[in-house]
Amino acid sequence: MRWLLILFIGVFLSPQVFADAGIPVLSVETNQNGNQQYSVTLQVLGLMTLLTFLPAIVMMMTSFIRVTVVFAILRQALGMQQTPSNQILIGLSLFLTFFIMSPIIERVNQEAVQPYINETMDASSALEAASVPFSQFMLEQTRESDLVLFMDLSGTEQLEEGQLPPFKVLVPAFIISELKTAFQIGFLLFIPFLIIDLVIASILMAMGMMMLSPLIISLPFKIMLFVLVDGWALVVGTLANSFT
């Protein structure tokens, strides 16, 4: 009963106390220009809700897709199923994504975050300003055929010159384009390692050692080749340059 009484007071009496004290708990005010200004409580609630979509934003609206798929294909081409581990590949992909997206993040900070902190821009305008750099980045990396496909599927009208597509069209088109680009890069990575596997398999077949797995013999040679050509620097450099 004591806890029920405390809960009753907190739920039904606290808002009234805050209102009497002049603290706006949940309020929406309309400015002279017609825009609506939300209380700090509602803004914090909206911000916490947006944080739940942060993993999806990081994975699906940045360079993370291309980077992580290429690294996964590279590990498969080397013939090592668990080395490097998934944690290492995801961590490397995240840091490389932050490196590639740093110009976009700086634009968002200058055009949306700082004006909102300085109270020169309201929350809705800041959110709209923050979406423009990401939309431009995704549009630059999206193939025209993929964009037209989702525009036709959604029934979106033809865009005017300089107009950005809506997110419901741009995001899936960007994901499809990134997957296609990642598979193209992965195919090029597979070729030298595939040649090594074919050569080792042919040598073992000629020696009559058909029961010996070619992977056991080819794996050291593939690792040696990858190290001699400074493979990690080449792959990371190629991925970073593919977004410029």
Side-chain angles (χ1 to χ4, degrees):
M1 293 297 294
R2 181 187 304 174
W3 290 108
L4 290 177
L5 181 60
I6 295 175
L7 180 63
F8 176 81
I9 295 175
V11 172
F12 294 99
L13 298 183
S14 295
Q16 184 64 34
V17 172
F18 289 152
D20 294 340
I23 302 177
V25 181
L26 299 174
S27 63
V28 180
E29 298 179 358
T30 303
N31 300 329
Q32 296 180 355
N33 54 6
N35 297 330
Q36 291 183 339
Q37 182 70 30
Y38 300 94
S39 64
V40 178
T41 307
L42 283 177
Q43 294 180 17
V44 172
L45 180 61
L47 179 61
M48 297 302 295
T49 304
L50 289 177
L51 287 178
T52 59
F53 295 97
L54 185 60
I57 294 175
V58 172
M59 289 189 294
M60 297 302 170
M61 296 173 57
T62 63
S63 59
F64 183 82
I65 300 176
R66 185 185 306 183
V67 173
T68 188
V69 171
V70 169
F71 284 160
I73 294 177
L74 174 61
R75 185 174 63 178
Q76 186 73 22
L78 285 171
M80 298 183 293
Q81 302 298 327
Q82 301 296 332
T83 305
S85 63
N86 292 331
Q87 291 83 357
I88 295 176
L89 290 184
I90 295 299
L92 179 59
S93 301
L94 284 174
F95 280 103
L96 187 57
T97 298
F98 290 143
F99 174 79
I100 295 172
M101 299 296 297
S102 57
I104 310 299
I105 296 175
E106 291 178 0
R107 272 192 62 189
V108 172
N109 181 57
Q110 295 176 359
E111 299 177 4
V113 176
Q114 292 302 324
Y116 178 71
I117 293 176
N118 297 329
E119 298 183 356
T120 59
M121 183 181 295
D122 56 10
S124 59
S125 300
L127 185 60
E128 183 178 358
S131 65
V132 173
F134 282 97
S135 298
Q136 293 176 348
F137 169 79
M138 290 188 291
L139 186 61
E140 291 174 357
Q141 307 299 328
T142 303
R143 290 177 173 82
E144 183 178 356
S145 58
D146 296 329
L147 186 61
V148 171
L149 170 64
F150 283 96
M151 289 182 62
D152 294 339
L153 292 176
S154 63
T156 305
E157 299 180 356
Q158 187 176 2
L159 302 175
E160 299 179 358
E161 185 177 358
Q163 183 181 2
L164 294 175
F167 264 65
K168 67 176 183 179
V169 173
L170 184 56
V171 173
F174 170 75
I175 294 174
I176 296 299
S177 297
E178 286 294 284
L179 289 175
K180 183 177 181 179
T181 303
F183 276 45
Q184 290 175 345
I185 298 175
F187 171 76
L188 297 177
L189 290 175
F190 240 106
I191 293 177
F193 302 113
L194 180 61
I195 293 176
I196 294 177
D197 287 333
L198 292 175
V199 171
I200 297 298
S202 300
I203 294 175
L204 293 178
M205 185 71 68
M207 296 176 62
M209 304 173 65
M210 293 178 292
M211 300 302 295
L212 181 61
S213 175
L215 182 61
I216 299 177
I217 307 300
S218 63
L219 181 58
F221 290 97
K222 290 190 289 187
I223 294 177
M224 181 181 63
L225 173 65
F226 191 71
V227 172
L228 289 177
V229 300
D230 199 5
W232 287 112
L234 289 176
V235 173
V236 171
T238 301
L239 286 172
N241 290 327
S242 64
F243 289 96
T244 58

